[in-house]
Amino acid sequence: MPLSGIQKLIRFFTPRHVFHEMESESRQWIFHCDCGRDFSVWEIGGVRYRGRGNPVKLVRCPGCHALKARRLSRG
């Protein structure tokens, strides 16, 4: 899957090892959809690095395309 614009920008300005840490951690932060699909922040083009808590974000499911407020959790 190609990188999103923000992911490309972060890759350009950060050292390679830090970018890989960001990618790895972003893949651990998971949204759960009612359709049964779980997807990561990285998968939808975002980055979450050194985050805390379980915020609620408005995101679109890549499976069923439903736009909904979903709780983010570290899986």
Side-chain angles (χ1 to χ4, degrees):
M1 189 166 156
L3 298 177
S4 70
I6 192 70
Q7 290 168 339
K8 288 178 185 176
L9 185 67
I10 291 171
R11 182 181 64 182
F12 182 78
F13 285 108
T14 58
R16 183 174 294 177
H17 71 281
V18 174
F19 179 74
H20 289 298
E21 287 176 17
M22 289 177 163
E23 179 181 358
S24 176
E25 188 169 325
S26 295
R27 289 183 185 274
Q28 295 174 12
W29 287 95
I30 304 294
F31 290 106
H32 305 283
C33 183
D34 297 335
C35 73
R37 176 139 186 204
D38 296 336
F39 52 97
S40 70
V41 170
W42 188 263
E43 185 179 343
I44 60 171
V47 175
R48 184 164 173 88
Y49 184 58
R50 296 187 178 178
R52 293 179 183 237
N54 297 322
V56 174
K57 302 285 185 179
L58 184 64
V59 294
R60 186 173 305 276
C61 174
C64 67
H65 305 290
L67 182 63
K68 187 175 177 183
R70 304 174 197 281
R71 184 158 306 277
L72 183 60
S73 60
R74 192 157 186 186

